[in-house]
Amino acid sequence: MKLAVRKIALERMQILIDNAISNAKTNPELSQRQASLAQKISMRHNIRMPYILRIVFCKKCKSFIAPGINSTIRLGRTSVKSIRISCNLCGHTYRKIIAQSS
Ligand SMILES: [Zn+2]
């Protein structure tokens, strides 16, 4: 039963983030609300957001940053597979090593 709850929560977070990203341009307020709702679900159920969902939140200012709208994502040029994410709201840039997924 607990697993089912987890699965539903994860699906809801995914949907919320997807919607937040697609609304970021046309309705920034709505997209912020959807993103923070996803964060709340994550906290309430104590579920860590999957990597792909976490990159849409700035590490520094914690804002929702839609890829290509509030943030710039660049692939690293080094041999280590990484991406560089720049937050357009606070200017913070950070690097993420792309984890090897099995
Ligand atoms: Zn930021």
Side-chain angles (χ1 to χ4, degrees):
M1 279 322 230
K2 222 173 173 196
L3 266 170
V5 172
R6 231 183 124 81
K7 196 169 171 276
I8 292 162
L10 266 170
E11 276 170 9
R12 283 195 63 199
M13 286 194 281
Q14 178 77 62
I15 292 163
L16 282 164
I17 298 293
D18 281 350
N19 288 340
I21 290 169
S22 49
N23 288 325
K25 216 169 198 169
T26 50
N27 197 339
E29 264 180 53
L30 177 65
S31 85
Q32 288 290 344
R33 271 208 304 276
Q34 289 170 324
S36 65
L37 204 59
Q39 277 182 315
K40 271 182 201 148
I41 293 170
S42 161
M43 282 187 282
R44 193 191 308 146
H45 297 283
N46 202 17
I47 300 170
R48 213 166 130 88
M49 276 199 210
Y51 165 75
I52 198 70
L53 299 186
R54 267 181 290 134
I55 62 167
V56 301
F57 294 98
C58 174
K59 268 195 169 170
K60 199 178 184 192
C61 68
K62 312 287 180 203
S63 303
F64 167 67
I65 44 173
I69 296 166
N70 306 119
S71 73
T72 314
I73 298 180
R74 277 194 211 89
L75 280 171
R77 290 192 200 120
T78 51
S79 55
V80 182
K81 275 199 174 174
S82 68
I83 52 172
R84 277 172 44 185
I85 302 161
S86 305
C87 171
N88 293 350
L89 303 175
C90 71
H92 182 64
T93 299
Y94 57 98
R95 200 165 71 116
K96 277 240 181 211
I97 307 291
I98 300 170
Q100 296 258 313
S101 54
S102 53

